[in-house]
Amino acid sequence: MARTGLPDRSGVVGRTGTGRPTTLHPGAWWLWSLGLGTAATRTTNPLLLALLIATSAYVVATCRSRAPWSRSYSAFVKLALAVLLIRLVFAVALGSPIPGTHVIVTLPELPLPHWAQGIRLGGKVTAESLVFAFYDGLKLATLLICVGAANALANPSRLLKSLPGALYETGVAVVVALTFAPNLIADVQRLRAARRLRGRPDKGVRGLLHVGLPVLEGALERSVALAAAMDARGYGRTAQVPPAVRRTTAALTLGGLLGVCAGTYGLLTAEGGTYGLPLLLAGLGAALAGLRLGGRRSLRTRYRPDRWDVRAWLVAGSGAAVAALLTLAAADDPAALHPGVVPLVSPTLPLWPAAAVLLGLLPSFLAPKEP
């Protein structure tokens, strides 16, 4: 009898009667969201940033499942709003290096010692400094919202299951942590409710001690039971590999990470633009080769592994296309993607960068919807 394709309550992937998975590979969602986040770092135009936020919100609204972890998007939106507000408060309280002539308000300025030169508390608050702080904070808020979209769309347990074999132990540790954290919260709520029913205090230092000790005892009992179960199932076994392979793996991984750091530094500086991208790509290749060789030590199989199909390529490619096109637009017409603040200039919506951002809506049409 064919399965219906309905996902269970834990968010595990379902399959249709033809064996076709009803959800995308979690790595595709992360690549899509990182592409949108990279595009957000290429501009300070509030109209383009708002379009990126709207794109991610629409895809999340149409593609996320009803699993508990899919409700994390609203938490990231609240965090992004808090970051934007904090950035504006810092601009008002600590001032800004941006010069301005449109004074909004003048706050009392506190005198500071000589060793704190360059920092001020209070003083004139100009419209130019507030607009600059708003642009800067909105860029970071958009990046956080794009990361929140990945958390709401990608199943974390399936993502950890897709890790390469070299990161197997790290994936197991994260899975155990993700499994135990909700149990700890449930234990605390259960014990506090029990103490309130018995008329005993559940707050303060005394209540914390009486609730914390049973929670710690239960966590230790679950840890011992989990360790025994994992040992019985053969967790921690490693294959014997030649010493030359181990040395090559360490050299490739370490050299690749150093190449990634040097390449990233080159891309962020004006002098390293020529060597930054080749060094970054070479470092990524060496690190991936090291991870692949390191996976030979892991003796494990995957139950129903997630397949990277055509839809996953298209979803990941749409995010990469948005990042690449916004990067080209920032180099071709920087004034449109970075509106000036001295003097104040009203931001305009550039047409073809906006059309490039709309490519991020492609997953809403390609990704399978939950029945």
Side-chain angles (χ1 to χ4, degrees):
M1 183 176 177
R3 280 185 278 259
T4 61
L6 290 173
D8 59 17
R9 288 175 295 177
S10 61
V12 177
V13 61
R15 293 182 182 268
T16 61
T18 59
R20 185 183 184 184
T22 60
T23 53
L24 278 176
H25 193 287
W29 285 123
W30 272 100
L31 290 177
W32 169 80
S33 65
L34 290 177
L36 295 187
T38 303
T41 63
R42 299 291 92 189
T43 178
T44 55
N45 190 319
L47 301 179
L48 287 177
L49 293 175
L51 190 59
L52 283 168
I53 294 174
T55 299
S56 67
Y58 181 79
V59 174
V60 169
T62 56
C63 298
R64 69 176 175 180
S65 65
R66 291 188 292 270
W69 42 264
S70 64
R71 295 192 290 266
S72 61
Y73 185 74
S74 58
F76 277 88
V77 172
K78 294 176 183 178
L79 178 62
L81 292 176
V83 167
L84 180 59
L85 181 61
I86 291 172
R87 182 67 179 87
L88 291 174
V89 169
F90 278 4
V92 171
L94 303 179
S96 175
I98 302 299
T101 57
H102 299 81
V103 179
I104 298 177
V105 65
T106 301
L107 300 176
E109 187 171 354
L110 299 178
L112 296 176
H114 65 88
W115 51 264
Q117 292 181 359
I119 303 175
R120 67 175 179 86
L121 295 177
K124 295 180 179 180
V125 180
T126 62
E128 289 84 353
S129 63
L130 283 182
V131 171
F132 176 79
F134 176 76
Y135 288 173
D136 195 36
L138 184 60
K139 180 169 68 173
L140 181 56
T142 306
L143 180 59
L144 288 173
I145 290 175
C146 292
V147 174
N151 281 272
L153 293 169
N155 190 329
S157 61
R158 289 177 54 215
L159 180 64
L160 291 170
K161 188 179 70 172
S162 302
L163 286 176
L167 302 177
Y168 170 61
E169 289 83 2
T170 304
V172 171
V174 175
V175 168
V176 171
L178 291 175
T179 305
F180 271 35
N183 292 331
L184 291 177
I185 296 174
D187 286 347
V188 171
Q189 294 176 348
R190 177 176 54 83
L191 290 170
R192 291 185 63 185
R195 290 186 63 83
R196 285 195 298 268
L197 289 174
R198 293 183 176 91
R200 297 176 182 177
D202 62 326
K203 298 180 181 179
V205 178
R206 184 177 178 182
L208 180 63
L209 292 176
H210 285 83
V211 170
L213 291 177
V215 169
L216 180 60
E217 182 181 358
L220 291 176
E221 289 179 356
R222 281 195 298 271
S223 300
V224 172
L226 178 63
M230 293 174 68
D231 184 65
R233 289 165 174 81
Y235 280 87
R237 293 181 301 163
T238 56
Q240 295 294 330
V241 295
V245 175
R246 292 200 299 268
R247 288 192 291 268
T248 304
T249 301
L252 286 174
T253 305
L254 182 59
L257 293 178
L258 291 177
V260 169
C261 294
T264 305
Y265 176 78
L267 291 177
L268 294 177
T269 58
E271 296 81 5
T274 56
Y275 69 85
L277 184 59
L279 193 57
L280 177 62
L281 294 177
L284 285 175
L288 292 176
L291 290 177
R292 186 170 183 82
L293 282 178
R296 296 173 61 181
R297 297 180 63 248
S298 176
L299 295 173
R300 68 186 182 113
T301 58
R302 289 190 179 97
Y303 173 67
R304 293 170 66 175
D306 294 316
R307 290 164 45 187
W308 191 279
D309 54 5
V310 177
R311 291 180 299 177
W313 280 112
L314 291 175
V315 169
S318 65
V322 173
L325 291 175
L326 263 293
T327 302
L328 292 176
D332 181 63
D333 190 8
L337 270 70
H338 299 278
V341 293
V342 181
L344 281 175
V345 176
S346 177
T348 59
L349 183 65
L351 293 182
W352 77 266
V357 172
L358 293 180
L359 289 176
L361 294 173
L362 190 62
S364 61
F365 303 100
L366 294 176
K369 307 299 187 297
E370 181 175 316

